[in-house]
Short mmCIF file of all heavy atoms in Angstrom, two decimals:
data_model
loop_
_atom_site.label_atom_id
_atom_site.label_comp_id
_atom_site.label_asym_id
_atom_site.label_seq_id
_atom_site.Cartn_x
_atom_site.Cartn_y
_atom_site.Cartn_z
N MET A 1 0.84 -1.13 -0.01
CA MET A 1 -0.01 -0.01 -0.01
C MET A 1 0.91 1.22 0.00
O MET A 1 1.88 1.29 0.75
CB MET A 1 -0.88 -0.03 1.24
CG MET A 1 -1.63 1.19 1.51
SD MET A 1 -2.83 0.99 2.83
CE MET A 1 -3.80 -0.31 2.23
N THR A 2 0.59 2.18 -0.84
CA THR A 2 1.33 3.43 -0.89
C THR A 2 0.43 4.55 -0.46
O THR A 2 -0.68 4.72 -0.99
CB THR A 2 1.84 3.69 -2.32
OG1 THR A 2 2.65 2.58 -2.73
CG2 THR A 2 2.68 4.95 -2.39
N LEU A 3 0.86 5.30 0.53
CA LEU A 3 0.07 6.42 1.06
C LEU A 3 0.87 7.69 1.02
O LEU A 3 2.10 7.68 1.19
CB LEU A 3 -0.32 6.16 2.53
CG LEU A 3 -1.21 4.95 2.79
CD1 LEU A 3 -1.29 4.70 4.28
CD2 LEU A 3 -2.58 5.19 2.23
N ALA A 4 0.17 8.81 0.83
CA ALA A 4 0.81 10.13 0.88
C ALA A 4 -0.29 11.16 1.09
O ALA A 4 -1.42 10.99 0.63
CB ALA A 4 1.56 10.43 -0.40
N GLY A 5 0.01 12.23 1.83
CA GLY A 5 -0.94 13.33 2.00
C GLY A 5 -1.43 13.45 3.42
O GLY A 5 -0.79 13.00 4.38
N ASP A 6 -2.60 14.05 3.57
CA ASP A 6 -3.21 14.30 4.86
C ASP A 6 -3.60 12.96 5.52
O ASP A 6 -4.22 12.11 4.85
CB ASP A 6 -4.43 15.18 4.67
CG ASP A 6 -5.09 15.54 5.98
OD1 ASP A 6 -4.36 15.97 6.91
OD2 ASP A 6 -6.33 15.38 6.07
N LEU A 7 -3.23 12.78 6.77
CA LEU A 7 -3.47 11.51 7.47
C LEU A 7 -4.95 11.22 7.60
O LEU A 7 -5.37 10.06 7.47
CB LEU A 7 -2.80 11.51 8.82
CG LEU A 7 -2.72 10.17 9.55
CD1 LEU A 7 -2.03 9.13 8.71
CD2 LEU A 7 -2.02 10.33 10.88
N VAL A 8 -5.77 12.24 7.82
CA VAL A 8 -7.22 12.02 7.95
C VAL A 8 -7.81 11.53 6.63
O VAL A 8 -8.62 10.60 6.60
CB VAL A 8 -7.92 13.31 8.44
CG1 VAL A 8 -9.43 13.13 8.43
CG2 VAL A 8 -7.42 13.68 9.82
N ALA A 9 -7.38 12.12 5.52
CA ALA A 9 -7.86 11.70 4.21
C ALA A 9 -7.42 10.27 3.91
O ALA A 9 -8.20 9.48 3.35
CB ALA A 9 -7.38 12.64 3.13
N CYS A 10 -6.19 9.95 4.27
CA CYS A 10 -5.71 8.57 4.08
C CYS A 10 -6.51 7.59 4.90
O CYS A 10 -6.85 6.50 4.45
CB CYS A 10 -4.23 8.47 4.43
SG CYS A 10 -3.15 9.34 3.30
N ALA A 11 -6.84 7.97 6.14
CA ALA A 11 -7.62 7.08 7.01
C ALA A 11 -9.01 6.83 6.43
O ALA A 11 -9.54 5.75 6.50
CB ALA A 11 -7.72 7.72 8.41
N GLU A 12 -9.61 7.89 5.84
CA GLU A 12 -10.93 7.73 5.22
C GLU A 12 -10.87 6.78 4.05
O GLU A 12 -11.76 5.96 3.85
CB GLU A 12 -11.49 9.08 4.80
CG GLU A 12 -11.89 9.96 5.97
CD GLU A 12 -12.28 11.36 5.57
OE1 GLU A 12 -12.26 11.68 4.37
OE2 GLU A 12 -12.62 12.16 6.48
N ALA A 13 -9.80 6.89 3.24
CA ALA A 13 -9.64 5.98 2.10
C ALA A 13 -9.43 4.54 2.57
O ALA A 13 -9.97 3.60 2.00
CB ALA A 13 -8.47 6.44 1.24
N LEU A 14 -8.62 4.39 3.64
CA LEU A 14 -8.39 3.04 4.18
C LEU A 14 -9.68 2.47 4.75
O LEU A 14 -9.96 1.27 4.61
CB LEU A 14 -7.34 3.09 5.29
CG LEU A 14 -5.90 3.41 4.85
CD1 LEU A 14 -5.01 3.62 6.06
CD2 LEU A 14 -5.37 2.31 3.97
N GLN A 15 -10.48 3.31 5.37
CA GLN A 15 -11.76 2.88 5.94
C GLN A 15 -12.65 2.29 4.86
O GLN A 15 -13.27 1.25 5.03
CB GLN A 15 -12.43 4.05 6.62
CG GLN A 15 -13.72 3.72 7.33
CD GLN A 15 -14.18 4.88 8.19
OE1 GLN A 15 -13.55 5.17 9.20
NE2 GLN A 15 -15.25 5.51 7.80
N LYS A 16 -12.68 2.95 3.71
CA LYS A 16 -13.50 2.46 2.59
C LYS A 16 -12.94 1.15 2.05
O LYS A 16 -13.69 0.22 1.77
CB LYS A 16 -13.50 3.48 1.47
CG LYS A 16 -14.74 4.28 1.35
CD LYS A 16 -14.70 5.11 0.10
CE LYS A 16 -15.97 5.95 0.04
NZ LYS A 16 -15.99 6.82 -1.12
N ALA A 17 -11.62 1.07 1.90
CA ALA A 17 -11.00 -0.12 1.33
C ALA A 17 -11.15 -1.33 2.25
O ALA A 17 -11.36 -2.45 1.79
CB ALA A 17 -9.52 0.15 1.05
N TRP A 18 -11.01 -1.11 3.56
CA TRP A 18 -11.03 -2.20 4.51
C TRP A 18 -12.42 -2.53 5.03
O TRP A 18 -12.63 -3.52 5.72
CB TRP A 18 -10.14 -1.90 5.72
CG TRP A 18 -8.69 -1.87 5.41
CD1 TRP A 18 -8.05 -2.44 4.38
CD2 TRP A 18 -7.68 -1.21 6.18
NE1 TRP A 18 -6.70 -2.19 4.43
CE2 TRP A 18 -6.45 -1.44 5.55
CE3 TRP A 18 -7.71 -0.45 7.35
CZ2 TRP A 18 -5.27 -0.95 6.04
CZ3 TRP A 18 -6.51 0.04 7.83
CH2 TRP A 18 -5.29 -0.20 7.20
N LYS A 19 -13.39 -1.65 4.76
CA LYS A 19 -14.77 -1.77 5.27
C LYS A 19 -14.75 -1.94 6.79
O LYS A 19 -15.37 -2.80 7.38
CB LYS A 19 -15.47 -2.97 4.62
CG LYS A 19 -15.65 -2.77 3.14
CD LYS A 19 -16.31 -3.95 2.50
CE LYS A 19 -16.38 -3.69 1.00
NZ LYS A 19 -16.77 -4.84 0.26
N ARG A 20 -13.95 -1.06 7.42
CA ARG A 20 -13.76 -1.06 8.86
C ARG A 20 -13.42 0.35 9.32
O ARG A 20 -12.74 1.08 8.59
CB ARG A 20 -12.61 -2.02 9.19
CG ARG A 20 -12.41 -2.28 10.62
CD ARG A 20 -11.42 -3.40 10.80
NE ARG A 20 -11.29 -3.62 12.22
CZ ARG A 20 -10.60 -4.58 12.74
NH1 ARG A 20 -9.95 -5.42 11.96
NH2 ARG A 20 -10.52 -4.75 14.03
N ARG A 21 -13.90 0.75 10.46
CA ARG A 21 -13.60 2.10 10.94
C ARG A 21 -12.12 2.26 11.23
O ARG A 21 -11.47 1.40 11.77
CB ARG A 21 -14.40 2.40 12.21
CG ARG A 21 -15.86 2.41 11.97
CD ARG A 21 -16.58 3.01 13.15
NE ARG A 21 -18.02 2.83 13.03
CZ ARG A 21 -18.81 3.49 12.20
NH1 ARG A 21 -18.32 4.39 11.43
NH2 ARG A 21 -20.11 3.24 12.18
N VAL A 22 -11.58 3.43 10.85
CA VAL A 22 -10.20 3.78 11.10
C VAL A 22 -10.22 5.10 11.86
O VAL A 22 -10.76 6.09 11.38
CB VAL A 22 -9.39 3.90 9.80
CG1 VAL A 22 -7.94 4.29 10.11
CG2 VAL A 22 -9.42 2.61 9.00
N ILE A 23 -9.63 5.09 13.07
CA ILE A 23 -9.67 6.25 13.94
C ILE A 23 -8.32 6.92 13.98
O ILE A 23 -7.29 6.25 14.22
CB ILE A 23 -10.10 5.82 15.36
CG1 ILE A 23 -11.45 5.12 15.29
CG2 ILE A 23 -10.14 7.02 16.31
CD1 ILE A 23 -11.75 4.25 16.50
N VAL A 24 -8.30 8.24 13.76
CA VAL A 24 -7.07 9.03 13.83
C VAL A 24 -7.03 9.68 15.20
O VAL A 24 -7.93 10.47 15.54
CB VAL A 24 -7.03 10.09 12.74
CG1 VAL A 24 -5.73 10.89 12.83
CG2 VAL A 24 -7.19 9.48 11.36
N PRO A 25 -6.02 9.38 16.04
CA PRO A 25 -5.94 10.01 17.36
C PRO A 25 -5.82 11.53 17.26
O PRO A 25 -5.31 12.04 16.26
CB PRO A 25 -4.66 9.41 17.97
CG PRO A 25 -4.43 8.15 17.21
CD PRO A 25 -4.97 8.38 15.84
N LYS A 26 -6.32 12.23 18.27
CA LYS A 26 -6.32 13.70 18.27
C LYS A 26 -4.96 14.30 17.97
O LYS A 26 -4.86 15.26 17.24
CB LYS A 26 -6.80 14.19 19.62
CG LYS A 26 -8.02 15.02 19.60
CD LYS A 26 -8.40 15.47 20.97
CE LYS A 26 -9.86 15.87 20.94
NZ LYS A 26 -10.33 16.31 22.22
N GLU A 27 -3.91 13.76 18.56
CA GLU A 27 -2.58 14.33 18.39
C GLU A 27 -2.03 14.18 16.98
O GLU A 27 -1.08 14.85 16.59
CB GLU A 27 -1.59 13.78 19.42
CG GLU A 27 -1.36 12.29 19.36
CD GLU A 27 -2.36 11.49 20.20
OE1 GLU A 27 -3.28 12.06 20.79
OE2 GLU A 27 -2.19 10.25 20.24
N LEU A 28 -2.59 13.28 16.16
CA LEU A 28 -2.14 13.06 14.79
C LEU A 28 -2.98 13.79 13.75
O LEU A 28 -2.59 13.82 12.59
CB LEU A 28 -2.09 11.56 14.48
CG LEU A 28 -1.10 10.73 15.30
CD1 LEU A 28 -1.17 9.27 14.88
CD2 LEU A 28 0.31 11.26 15.12
N ARG A 29 -4.11 14.34 14.15
CA ARG A 29 -4.96 15.04 13.18
C ARG A 29 -4.25 16.28 12.66
O ARG A 29 -3.57 16.97 13.40
CB ARG A 29 -6.28 15.43 13.83
CG ARG A 29 -7.11 14.21 14.11
CD ARG A 29 -8.46 14.55 14.64
NE ARG A 29 -9.09 13.29 15.08
CZ ARG A 29 -9.98 13.20 16.02
NH1 ARG A 29 -10.40 14.28 16.65
NH2 ARG A 29 -10.46 12.02 16.34
N GLY A 30 -4.39 16.54 11.38
CA GLY A 30 -3.74 17.68 10.77
C GLY A 30 -2.34 17.40 10.26
O GLY A 30 -1.72 18.23 9.63
N ARG A 31 -1.84 16.21 10.53
CA ARG A 31 -0.50 15.84 10.06
C ARG A 31 -0.55 15.34 8.64
O ARG A 31 -1.54 14.76 8.20
CB ARG A 31 0.07 14.72 10.92
CG ARG A 31 0.72 15.20 12.15
CD ARG A 31 1.71 14.17 12.59
NE ARG A 31 2.65 14.79 13.50
CZ ARG A 31 3.40 14.12 14.31
NH1 ARG A 31 3.33 12.81 14.33
NH2 ARG A 31 4.25 14.74 15.10
N LYS A 32 0.52 15.57 7.91
CA LYS A 32 0.67 15.03 6.58
C LYS A 32 1.78 14.02 6.61
O LYS A 32 2.72 14.13 7.37
CB LYS A 32 1.00 16.16 5.60
CG LYS A 32 -0.11 17.19 5.47
CD LYS A 32 0.17 18.14 4.37
CE LYS A 32 -0.88 19.22 4.37
NZ LYS A 32 -2.00 18.97 3.55
N ILE A 33 1.62 12.99 5.78
CA ILE A 33 2.67 11.98 5.71
C ILE A 33 3.28 11.99 4.32
O ILE A 33 2.59 12.23 3.33
CB ILE A 33 2.15 10.56 6.08
CG1 ILE A 33 0.97 10.17 5.17
CG2 ILE A 33 1.73 10.50 7.49
CD1 ILE A 33 0.54 8.72 5.36
N ARG A 34 4.58 11.75 4.30
CA ARG A 34 5.26 11.64 3.01
C ARG A 34 4.89 10.32 2.37
O ARG A 34 4.37 9.42 3.02
CB ARG A 34 6.78 11.70 3.21
CG ARG A 34 7.25 13.04 3.64
CD ARG A 34 8.73 13.00 3.85
NE ARG A 34 9.20 14.36 3.90
CZ ARG A 34 10.33 14.76 3.39
NH1 ARG A 34 11.14 13.91 2.83
NH2 ARG A 34 10.67 16.03 3.45
N LYS A 35 5.21 10.20 1.11
CA LYS A 35 4.90 8.98 0.39
C LYS A 35 5.56 7.79 1.07
O LYS A 35 6.77 7.78 1.26
CB LYS A 35 5.36 9.09 -1.05
CG LYS A 35 4.91 7.95 -1.93
CD LYS A 35 5.30 8.22 -3.36
CE LYS A 35 4.88 7.06 -4.25
NZ LYS A 35 5.27 7.30 -5.63
N ARG A 36 4.76 6.79 1.48
CA ARG A 36 5.26 5.59 2.15
C ARG A 36 4.61 4.37 1.54
O ARG A 36 3.44 4.40 1.17
CB ARG A 36 4.88 5.60 3.63
CG ARG A 36 5.44 6.71 4.41
CD ARG A 36 4.93 6.73 5.81
NE ARG A 36 5.39 5.55 6.55
CZ ARG A 36 5.27 5.43 7.84
NH1 ARG A 36 4.71 6.37 8.56
NH2 ARG A 36 5.70 4.35 8.46
N THR A 37 5.36 3.31 1.44
CA THR A 37 4.82 2.02 0.99
C THR A 37 4.87 1.07 2.19
O THR A 37 5.90 0.89 2.80
CB THR A 37 5.66 1.47 -0.17
OG1 THR A 37 5.62 2.40 -1.24
CG2 THR A 37 5.08 0.13 -0.63
N ILE A 38 3.70 0.53 2.49
CA ILE A 38 3.56 -0.34 3.66
C ILE A 38 2.84 -1.62 3.22
O ILE A 38 1.84 -1.54 2.49
CB ILE A 38 2.76 0.35 4.78
CG1 ILE A 38 3.40 1.68 5.13
CG2 ILE A 38 2.65 -0.52 6.00
CD1 ILE A 38 2.55 2.54 6.03
N LYS A 39 3.30 -2.76 3.67
CA LYS A 39 2.66 -4.04 3.38
C LYS A 39 2.27 -4.69 4.68
O LYS A 39 2.94 -4.51 5.71
CB LYS A 39 3.59 -4.96 2.61
CG LYS A 39 3.88 -4.52 1.21
CD LYS A 39 4.75 -5.53 0.51
CE LYS A 39 5.06 -5.04 -0.90
NZ LYS A 39 5.92 -5.99 -1.61
N GLY A 40 1.20 -5.45 4.65
CA GLY A 40 0.77 -6.18 5.83
C GLY A 40 -0.74 -6.22 5.96
O GLY A 40 -1.48 -5.81 5.07
N THR A 41 -1.17 -6.73 7.09
CA THR A 41 -2.60 -6.79 7.38
C THR A 41 -3.07 -5.39 7.75
O THR A 41 -2.27 -4.51 8.09
CB THR A 41 -2.87 -7.75 8.55
OG1 THR A 41 -2.23 -7.25 9.72
CG2 THR A 41 -2.37 -9.17 8.25
N PRO A 42 -4.40 -5.16 7.76
CA PRO A 42 -4.90 -3.86 8.18
C PRO A 42 -4.42 -3.48 9.59
O PRO A 42 -4.12 -2.32 9.84
CB PRO A 42 -6.41 -4.03 8.13
CG PRO A 42 -6.64 -5.04 7.04
CD PRO A 42 -5.48 -5.99 7.20
N GLU A 43 -4.32 -4.45 10.49
CA GLU A 43 -3.86 -4.17 11.85
C GLU A 43 -2.42 -3.69 11.83
O GLU A 43 -2.05 -2.74 12.55
CB GLU A 43 -4.01 -5.41 12.74
CG GLU A 43 -5.44 -5.79 13.04
CD GLU A 43 -6.13 -6.58 11.94
OE1 GLU A 43 -5.46 -7.03 10.97
OE2 GLU A 43 -7.35 -6.74 12.03
N GLU A 44 -1.57 -4.33 11.06
CA GLU A 44 -0.17 -3.98 10.98
C GLU A 44 0.02 -2.59 10.38
O GLU A 44 0.84 -1.79 10.83
CB GLU A 44 0.63 -5.01 10.17
CG GLU A 44 0.71 -6.37 10.82
CD GLU A 44 1.25 -7.45 9.90
OE1 GLU A 44 1.22 -7.26 8.66
OE2 GLU A 44 1.68 -8.48 10.42
N ILE A 45 -0.73 -2.30 9.33
CA ILE A 45 -0.64 -1.02 8.65
C ILE A 45 -1.13 0.11 9.57
O ILE A 45 -0.49 1.17 9.68
CB ILE A 45 -1.42 -1.04 7.32
CG1 ILE A 45 -0.75 -1.99 6.34
CG2 ILE A 45 -1.52 0.37 6.72
CD1 ILE A 45 -1.54 -2.28 5.10
N ALA A 46 -2.25 -0.12 10.24
CA ALA A 46 -2.78 0.88 11.17
C ALA A 46 -1.77 1.16 12.28
O ALA A 46 -1.53 2.33 12.64
CB ALA A 46 -4.11 0.44 11.75
N HIS A 47 -1.17 0.14 12.82
CA HIS A 47 -0.15 0.30 13.88
C HIS A 47 1.03 1.11 13.39
O HIS A 47 1.55 1.97 14.10
CB HIS A 47 0.27 -1.06 14.41
CG HIS A 47 1.21 -0.97 15.55
ND1 HIS A 47 2.57 -0.96 15.39
CD2 HIS A 47 0.97 -0.83 16.88
CE1 HIS A 47 3.13 -0.85 16.57
NE2 HIS A 47 2.18 -0.76 17.50
N ALA A 48 1.50 0.83 12.18
CA ALA A 48 2.65 1.53 11.60
C ALA A 48 2.37 3.03 11.43
O ALA A 48 3.27 3.85 11.54
CB ALA A 48 3.03 0.90 10.28
N LEU A 49 1.11 3.38 11.13
CA LEU A 49 0.75 4.79 10.93
C LEU A 49 0.28 5.48 12.20
O LEU A 49 0.03 6.68 12.21
CB LEU A 49 -0.36 4.86 9.87
CG LEU A 49 0.03 4.43 8.47
CD1 LEU A 49 -1.18 4.41 7.56
CD2 LEU A 49 1.11 5.34 7.88
N GLY A 50 0.14 4.73 13.28
CA GLY A 50 -0.33 5.31 14.53
C GLY A 50 -1.84 5.45 14.60
O GLY A 50 -2.38 6.21 15.40
N LEU A 51 -2.56 4.70 13.75
CA LEU A 51 -4.01 4.74 13.72
C LEU A 51 -4.59 3.64 14.59
O LEU A 51 -3.90 2.72 14.98
CB LEU A 51 -4.51 4.59 12.27
CG LEU A 51 -3.95 5.58 11.26
CD1 LEU A 51 -4.39 5.20 9.86
CD2 LEU A 51 -4.40 6.99 11.60
N GLU A 52 -5.89 3.74 14.83
CA GLU A 52 -6.60 2.72 15.59
C GLU A 52 -7.72 2.14 14.72
O GLU A 52 -8.35 2.90 13.98
CB GLU A 52 -7.20 3.30 16.85
CG GLU A 52 -6.18 3.91 17.80
CD GLU A 52 -6.83 4.65 18.93
OE1 GLU A 52 -8.05 4.50 19.16
OE2 GLU A 52 -6.12 5.41 19.61
N LEU A 53 -7.94 0.85 14.82
CA LEU A 53 -9.04 0.22 14.08
C LEU A 53 -10.23 0.11 14.97
O LEU A 53 -10.12 -0.24 16.13
CB LEU A 53 -8.64 -1.14 13.58
CG LEU A 53 -7.59 -1.16 12.45
CD1 LEU A 53 -7.25 -2.58 12.07
CD2 LEU A 53 -8.07 -0.41 11.24
N GLY A 54 -11.39 0.40 14.41
CA GLY A 54 -12.64 0.32 15.17
C GLY A 54 -13.46 -0.87 14.66
O GLY A 54 -12.92 -1.84 14.13
N SER A 55 -14.76 -0.75 14.85
CA SER A 55 -15.67 -1.84 14.48
C SER A 55 -15.75 -2.01 12.96
O SER A 55 -15.44 -1.10 12.19
CB SER A 55 -17.06 -1.54 15.04
OG SER A 55 -17.53 -0.33 14.47
N LYS A 56 -16.17 -3.20 12.57
CA LYS A 56 -16.32 -3.51 11.16
C LYS A 56 -17.56 -2.85 10.62
O LYS A 56 -18.57 -2.71 11.32
CB LYS A 56 -16.41 -5.01 10.93
CG LYS A 56 -15.13 -5.74 11.27
CD LYS A 56 -15.29 -7.22 11.06
CE LYS A 56 -14.01 -7.95 11.46
NZ LYS A 56 -14.14 -9.38 11.32
N LEU A 57 -17.50 -2.43 9.36
CA LEU A 57 -18.67 -1.88 8.68
C LEU A 57 -19.34 -3.06 7.95
O LEU A 57 -18.82 -4.17 7.94
CB LEU A 57 -18.25 -0.80 7.71
CG LEU A 57 -17.54 0.38 8.34
CD1 LEU A 57 -17.04 1.33 7.26
CD2 LEU A 57 -18.44 1.14 9.31
N LYS A 58 -20.45 -2.85 7.34
CA LYS A 58 -21.15 -3.91 6.62
C LYS A 58 -20.24 -4.49 5.55
O LYS A 58 -19.59 -3.78 4.81
CB LYS A 58 -22.42 -3.40 5.98
CG LYS A 58 -23.47 -3.03 6.98
CD LYS A 58 -24.74 -2.58 6.30
CE LYS A 58 -25.77 -2.21 7.36
NZ LYS A 58 -27.01 -1.78 6.74
N GLY A 59 -20.15 -5.80 5.49
CA GLY A 59 -19.32 -6.49 4.52
C GLY A 59 -18.13 -7.13 5.23
O GLY A 59 -17.92 -7.00 6.42
N SER A 60 -17.32 -7.86 4.47
CA SER A 60 -16.19 -8.55 5.06
C SER A 60 -14.92 -7.72 4.93
O SER A 60 -14.78 -6.91 4.04
CB SER A 60 -16.01 -9.92 4.39
OG SER A 60 -15.71 -9.73 3.02
N THR A 61 -13.96 -8.00 5.80
CA THR A 61 -12.67 -7.31 5.79
C THR A 61 -11.64 -8.18 5.11
O THR A 61 -11.52 -9.35 5.41
CB THR A 61 -12.21 -7.05 7.24
OG1 THR A 61 -13.25 -6.36 7.94
CG2 THR A 61 -10.95 -6.25 7.29
N PRO A 62 -10.89 -7.61 4.16
CA PRO A 62 -9.84 -8.42 3.52
C PRO A 62 -8.73 -8.74 4.51
O PRO A 62 -8.43 -7.96 5.40
CB PRO A 62 -9.33 -7.53 2.42
CG PRO A 62 -9.73 -6.15 2.80
CD PRO A 62 -10.97 -6.29 3.63
N LYS A 63 -8.10 -9.92 4.39
CA LYS A 63 -7.06 -10.33 5.31
C LYS A 63 -5.72 -9.69 4.96
O LYS A 63 -4.98 -9.28 5.80
CB LYS A 63 -6.93 -11.85 5.34
CG LYS A 63 -8.18 -12.47 5.89
CD LYS A 63 -7.98 -13.91 6.19
CE LYS A 63 -9.30 -14.41 6.74
NZ LYS A 63 -9.22 -15.62 7.42
N ARG A 64 -5.39 -9.64 3.70
CA ARG A 64 -4.12 -9.05 3.26
C ARG A 64 -4.35 -8.48 1.88
O ARG A 64 -4.92 -9.12 1.01
CB ARG A 64 -3.03 -10.09 3.24
CG ARG A 64 -1.68 -9.53 2.99
CD ARG A 64 -0.63 -10.64 3.23
NE ARG A 64 0.69 -10.11 3.04
CZ ARG A 64 1.41 -9.62 4.03
NH1 ARG A 64 0.98 -9.64 5.24
NH2 ARG A 64 2.61 -9.14 3.78
N GLN A 65 -3.88 -7.27 1.67
CA GLN A 65 -4.09 -6.64 0.38
C GLN A 65 -3.01 -5.65 0.08
O GLN A 65 -2.27 -5.23 0.94
CB GLN A 65 -5.43 -5.94 0.35
CG GLN A 65 -5.50 -4.77 1.31
CD GLN A 65 -6.85 -4.11 1.28
OE1 GLN A 65 -7.77 -4.62 0.69
NE2 GLN A 65 -6.98 -2.99 1.92
N GLU A 66 -2.93 -5.28 -1.18
CA GLU A 66 -2.05 -4.22 -1.60
C GLU A 66 -2.90 -3.25 -2.41
O GLU A 66 -3.46 -3.63 -3.43
CB GLU A 66 -0.90 -4.75 -2.46
CG GLU A 66 0.08 -5.57 -1.64
CD GLU A 66 1.30 -5.95 -2.44
OE1 GLU A 66 1.69 -5.20 -3.32
OE2 GLU A 66 1.85 -7.03 -2.14
N VAL A 67 -3.03 -2.05 -1.92
CA VAL A 67 -3.84 -1.02 -2.56
C VAL A 67 -2.99 0.21 -2.75
O VAL A 67 -2.21 0.57 -1.88
CB VAL A 67 -5.05 -0.65 -1.65
CG1 VAL A 67 -5.90 0.43 -2.29
CG2 VAL A 67 -5.89 -1.88 -1.37
N LYS A 68 -3.11 0.86 -3.87
CA LYS A 68 -2.37 2.10 -4.11
C LYS A 68 -3.31 3.26 -3.93
O LYS A 68 -4.30 3.41 -4.64
CB LYS A 68 -1.81 2.08 -5.52
CG LYS A 68 -0.80 3.16 -5.77
CD LYS A 68 -0.13 2.94 -7.09
CE LYS A 68 1.13 3.75 -7.13
NZ LYS A 68 1.90 3.51 -8.31
N ILE A 69 -3.02 4.12 -2.93
CA ILE A 69 -3.84 5.28 -2.61
C ILE A 69 -2.93 6.48 -2.60
O ILE A 69 -1.98 6.55 -1.84
CB ILE A 69 -4.52 5.13 -1.24
CG1 ILE A 69 -5.41 3.89 -1.21
CG2 ILE A 69 -5.34 6.37 -0.95
CD1 ILE A 69 -5.96 3.58 0.14
N ALA A 70 -3.20 7.44 -3.47
CA ALA A 70 -2.42 8.66 -3.50
C ALA A 70 -3.36 9.84 -3.33
O ALA A 70 -4.34 9.96 -4.03
CB ALA A 70 -1.66 8.79 -4.82
N VAL A 71 -3.09 10.67 -2.32
CA VAL A 71 -3.96 11.79 -2.03
C VAL A 71 -3.22 13.06 -2.33
O VAL A 71 -2.08 13.23 -2.09
CB VAL A 71 -4.39 11.77 -0.55
CG1 VAL A 71 -5.29 12.93 -0.24
CG2 VAL A 71 -5.09 10.48 -0.24
#
């Protein structure tokens, strides 16, 4: 997965891709991230970015994926 741009916008895109809530902690809101490529499960990726995963949305969650998201 390749991410770049505003962390909140990236979290919203991840939320749609994973069909699971992605929470940005207060201290990280407003931050921008440089272009990064991260591989792993949604839990591993969220941990690497400092995000928290919430409840599942309707539908199933992929176990492992590679998605290219550029903001």
